[in-house]
Amino acid sequence: MTATIAPPRPQAGAEPPPPSEPRSLPRWAWALVVIGVWIVVWALTKGTDTLEIPVRVHTEVQQQLTDFRDSVLASRDTNPLIQFTYSLGGWFTDVVDWAQRMISIPDFPRPVPQIGWLGVTAIATWIGLAVAGWRIALLVGASFVSFGLFGYWSDSMDLLIVTFVAVVFSVLIGMPLAVWLGTSRRPWVVSMINTLLDIFQTMPTFVYLLPIVLFFGIGASAAVVCTLIYALPPIIRVAGHGIRNVSPTTIEATDAAGQTSFQRLRKVQLPMARKTIVVGLNQTIMAALSMATIAAYVDGPGLGKPVLSALFKNDVGGAFVPGMLIVVMAVMLDRTTTAASEASERAARGQVDLRLRRIVLAVTAVGALVAVWASRTYISLAEFPETSWGPTLAGWVDDFTEWFTDTFRGATDWFKNLISDYLLNPLQSLIAESPWYVTATAILLLAFVFGRARALLPTVICLAGLRYFGLWHDSMITLTMTLVGTLLVMILAVVFGVWMARRASVDLMLRPVLDAGQTIPPFVYLIPMLALFGPTRFTAIVAGVVYAAPVAIKLVADGVRGVSPTTLEASRSTGATTWQEITKVQLPMSRSSLVLAANQGLLYVLAMAVIGGMVGAGALGYDVVLGFSRSEEWGKGAAAGISIVLIGIMVDRICRAAAHDEAVTHDATRRPRWRAALGG
């Protein structure tokens, strides 16, 4: 008979030991296992079944897309849908043309616009004063004067016209949808709208252009329509979020008072969500300005035209001046909408002397009308006088660029070669030179490791789509460049995000820079990168990194800052060093923010894929640009655009699933793991 030893009884008042957790490999370890097996298979099979096709060779699907385009163009006079879209595009063209003749181009037989530069500047300055105050009025006035001083008055006004027309229709279409999203009690409605918005916001900007040109032609019509579509999602999503998140207690009070749904919306939900709605409007304006700039590629009017022309000629100085004015316009519009929201809140709280404000506005309105009259009467006040500011600044930029590249060519080449030789080329060889079925299997396994079952179905659908459209090899090269760019973005995001979160002075210094960086359209980022690295794929990657870094850094900073001070104090009481506190407490506890930053960073980098195709990025970006340039390549360009969207959706869904799984895991295990990590 075997004796049994009873376990010792716990002493009175002692806490029972925590239940043991089943040990399992962390997700990063499983990912390394998958990658390790993938490398072994790649070493044995590389270069086979990569599905690489020559540039000018088309698959059957790509040829069918070209035939579809030809059939659409052939049926313009008989197809009711095409007739409607072209009629709508013609109406947009007429609106833009009327506005141009009013403020930017001669209205023949009048040799100048109906309202000259002085009148336009005076009206814009008065509007800035009326909606946001004298500081914004000065900013607006100085911005408009700079457009003329640097020699781009007409192009600047054209860009503002396209942006304004697109924003007006975005609000007219988007606000009813935002109300529907914010007030609907049907889950399927919310899910449907959010899914459509996810798809639209995942699409890189250039992808909009191919179908828009097909159905609306080129010129102002295509510029307005593609800008309108691209600018719609922010106002719908943000305004709908604000309406939906009005306090339930307030809603219950309105129901108890017997208000109808329309009364509740007009008197309670919209006023209480006003600040959030203005944020959505701000994001819509920024998106519209960004897209209106890119629309220069389809002959859209505006400052994008001289930027695009200079980029094609590798004229850094010629691209810098209009690019700088785009930034000036972006900052002006961003600051004006933000300040307008703050001014309306101050007025609502009674912090503004309304009588004095009306007097000031009335007096300045008279001055603005006088300026309009003068600009219509005197030619010298209607047409901005020629100056040498623009060419002079372009020359200085060219001289500085030549000096900088000659001086630091060794450093820039070293950095480019370091990333290319030790990161980009090996990763591209693994992803693009493995047999397509090996890469597809590895991606599916990694999707399951990071996103579990939630990520599998969208990954399967997107991979099948990439295989179907016949650009698998180019898609894998684009995916490689995107992953490398995202890795560099996350390195910057973690370093600067943690620094900002732990030092208020650093946050105060960097946040305005990051805010300004988010207002710059992606086109503009190519200019300095082209000067530093020349027309190569690395130029596109670095431009994407600089474009994506601001949003990722801010997300990481906000996530790290959100870690509970109590938790930090507890870790410090255990004797944790600064490095341990960052790596074992703050970063692990802000993991969901890191996942979101990686998701957004990757989508921003991917958005530069096609734009980078104009400066030597190759792969899908080049295919899309080729589809624009040659009519016989339209099908291949369309397939490349769809493939970019599929890559974006696939990665977005994997990141979302990973973030959801991380949140569920965190909620299920409340005990702070950092104690065990620190030995406490």
Side-chain angles (χ1 to χ4, degrees), residues 290-302:
S290 173
M291 192 67 199
T293 304
I294 294 173
Y297 206 84
V298 292
D299 202 30

Side-chain angles (χ1 to χ4, degrees), residues 448-516:
F448 179 75
V449 167
F450 290 113
R452 305 305 183 197
R454 291 171 61 91
L456 278 182
L457 180 60
T459 303
V460 169
I461 294 173
C462 291
L463 290 175
L466 294 176
R467 177 69 177 84
Y468 174 76
F469 286 104
L471 291 171
W472 178 271
H473 189 261
D474 284 354
S475 299
M476 294 303 103
I477 294 176
T478 297
L479 177 61
T480 301
M481 293 190 295
T482 304
L483 292 175
V484 171
T486 305
L487 176 62
L488 297 177
V489 167
M490 289 308 297
I491 292 174
L492 293 175
V494 171
V495 171
F496 287 99
V498 171
W499 195 18
M500 289 173 62
R502 295 180 63 88
R503 294 287 186 272
S505 58
V506 175
D507 184 271
L508 185 65
M509 177 181 62
L510 289 184
R511 194 165 289 269
V513 176
L514 299 178
D515 290 341

Side-chain angles (χ1 to χ4, degrees), residues 221-429:
S221 58
V224 171
V225 174
C226 68
T227 303
L228 163 64
I229 295 175
Y230 185 68
L232 261 177
I235 188 71
I236 297 174
R237 189 187 293 279
V238 179
H241 173 77
I243 294 170
R244 178 172 289 276
N245 283 274
V246 172
S247 170
T249 305
T250 306
I251 300 299
E252 292 173 1
T254 61
D255 291 340
Q259 286 188 344
T260 64
S261 299
F262 180 74
Q263 288 175 322
R264 180 172 65 242
L265 175 68
R266 183 171 61 88
K267 296 182 178 180
V268 178
Q269 290 175 297
L270 288 179
M272 294 189 70
R274 180 174 55 187
K275 188 172 183 179
T276 306
I277 292 172
V278 171
V279 172
L281 176 62
N282 176 275
Q283 294 300 308
T284 289
I285 292 173
M286 292 297 102
L289 180 62
S290 173
M291 192 67 199
T293 304
I294 294 173
Y297 206 84
V298 292
D299 202 30
L303 285 168
K305 276 190 170 182
V307 173
L308 187 63
S309 176
L311 285 176
F312 283 152
K313 295 182 292 186
N314 199 15
D315 180 7
V316 177
F320 176 83
V321 177
M324 175 196 68
L325 295 178
I326 293 172
V327 176
V328 170
M329 188 179 297
V331 172
M332 177 190 72
L333 294 174
D334 178 62
R335 295 296 181 266
T336 300
T337 52
T338 303
S341 172
E342 296 171 352
S344 64
E345 289 184 5
R346 289 196 301 270
R349 292 195 296 263
Q351 297 176 348
V352 177
D353 187 340
L354 294 179
R355 182 174 177 274
L356 177 61
R357 185 170 183 271
R358 293 190 187 101
I359 294 173
V360 171
L361 290 179
V363 172
T364 51
V366 172
L369 292 175
V370 170
V372 171
W373 171 83
S375 71
R376 286 183 53 82
T377 306
Y378 302 102
I379 298 296
S380 61
L381 298 178
E383 190 173 28
F384 208 100
E386 292 187 9
T387 68
S388 60
W389 287 38
T392 300
L393 179 59
W396 289 349
V397 171
D398 284 333
D399 292 341
F400 174 79
T401 301
E402 184 177 355
W403 169 82
F404 190 89
T405 52
D406 289 343
T407 304
F408 297 99
R409 188 179 304 278
T412 55
D413 287 347
W414 173 83
F415 180 66
K416 178 173 67 176
N417 294 334
L418 176 70
I419 299 298
S420 298
D421 294 342
Y422 294 98
L423 182 59
L424 182 58
N425 292 339
L427 187 62
Q428 179 173 309
S429 180

Side-chain angles (χ1 to χ4, degrees), residues 33-102:
V33 170
V34 172
I35 294 172
V37 174
W38 186 5
I39 292 174
V40 172
V41 177
W42 162 81
L44 300 173
T45 60
K46 63 180 176 180
T48 61
D49 295 328
T50 61
L51 304 182
E52 182 178 5
I53 60 175
V55 173
R56 303 303 294 273
V57 173
H58 308 144
T59 66
E60 183 179 351
V61 173
Q62 294 163 13
Q63 188 58 49
Q64 289 174 353
L65 290 172
T66 302
D67 295 341
F68 167 74
R69 168 191 174 271
D70 294 340
S71 66
V72 169
L73 294 178
S75 64
R76 280 186 296 182
D77 298 329
T78 58
N79 190 315
L81 174 61
I82 306 302
Q83 289 178 330
F84 170 75
T85 57
Y86 267 75
S87 298
L88 182 60
W91 186 82
F92 281 132
T93 300
D94 292 340
V95 172
V96 172
D97 180 65
W98 174 83
Q100 285 179 304
R101 286 185 283 108
M102 286 294 294

